[in-house]
Amino acid sequence: MSDPLTVGDTAPDIRLPATGDQELSLADFRGQPVVLYFYPKDSTPGCTSESKDFTRLYDDFRNAGAVILGCSRDGIRSHENFRAKHDMPFDLLSDGDEALCNAFGVLKEKTMFGKKVMGIERSTFLIDAEGTIRREWRKVKVDGHAEAVLEALQAL
């Protein structure tokens, strides 16, 4: 496996199923900054809080010209339900084959109920209008995270 993408690298052109009956790639958004956040699982407490924070600040992100995309390994039906329940105004990507997760190196070994499993480590990437990764946050703690990402976006 190649090294995970990091600051200075170009975001990959990987096309994934997305909410709203779409297929999206990061390349579709060239010309505007993208906030790509990876989260472990739809409808879990931390992921819900994080998604609500990005939703609450959505207008500020849009005013700064950015697109927000959430990504997990959950399927589209799960994503659609999660998005509708919390009125998320942005799309969620379904990375069932883990292509985007692997490209960004966000899959990590975790221990759940005493068993080792591979799961998504909560991570966010700020990609500029040219498609270059400008900032990364790994091992994200939800509290204050969306605000920190917005601040970094506004400083681009």
Side-chain angles (χ1 to χ4, degrees):
M1 192 168 108
S2 60
D3 287 339
L5 295 167
T6 190
V7 173
D9 291 339
T10 299
D13 184 11
I14 297 172
R15 190 158 291 284
L16 294 176
T19 49
D21 198 26
Q22 309 174 78
E23 280 201 355
L24 298 174
S25 164
L26 295 172
D28 295 341
F29 301 100
R30 292 289 195 277
Q32 54 193 323
V34 175
V35 172
L36 173 63
Y37 75 99
F38 290 91
Y39 62 96
K41 189 143 185 58
D42 290 342
S43 301
T44 55
C47 299
T48 299
S49 292
E50 182 178 27
S51 296
K52 283 180 165 181
D53 286 348
F54 279 117
T55 297
R56 178 173 45 80
L57 295 172
Y58 180 74
D59 288 341
D60 295 319
F61 280 98
R62 290 299 303 149
N63 289 338
V67 171
I68 299 172
L69 295 171
C71 182
S72 80
R73 299 181 300 179
D74 295 302
I76 289 298
R77 179 175 288 155
S78 175
H79 276 352
E80 293 288 7
N81 292 339
F82 183 45
R83 185 176 177 227
K85 183 175 180 181
H86 300 290
D87 294 320
M88 288 175 218
F90 47 83
D91 287 304
L92 301 176
L93 303 173
S94 176
D95 193 13
D97 68 3
E98 303 173 347
L100 200 60
C101 289
N102 284 322
F104 281 91
V106 300
L107 291 176
K108 303 292 178 192
E109 191 175 84
K110 299 176 172 186
T111 303
M112 281 180 52
F113 308 110
K115 293 171 93 170
K116 300 262 187 226
V117 297
M118 290 303 282
I120 292 178
E121 177 181 77
R122 193 179 311 281
S123 306
T124 302
F125 299 85
L126 178 56
I127 302 162
D128 70 15
E130 287 75 50
T132 302
I133 300 166
R134 296 291 295 274
R135 286 285 306 270
E136 65 180 357
W137 293 263
R138 295 184 183 268
K139 297 182 186 169
V140 165
K141 301 286 180 252
V142 172
D143 285 348
H145 176 61
E147 290 82 357
V149 175
L150 179 60
E151 229 173 85
L153 168 67
Q154 292 168 335
L156 272 186

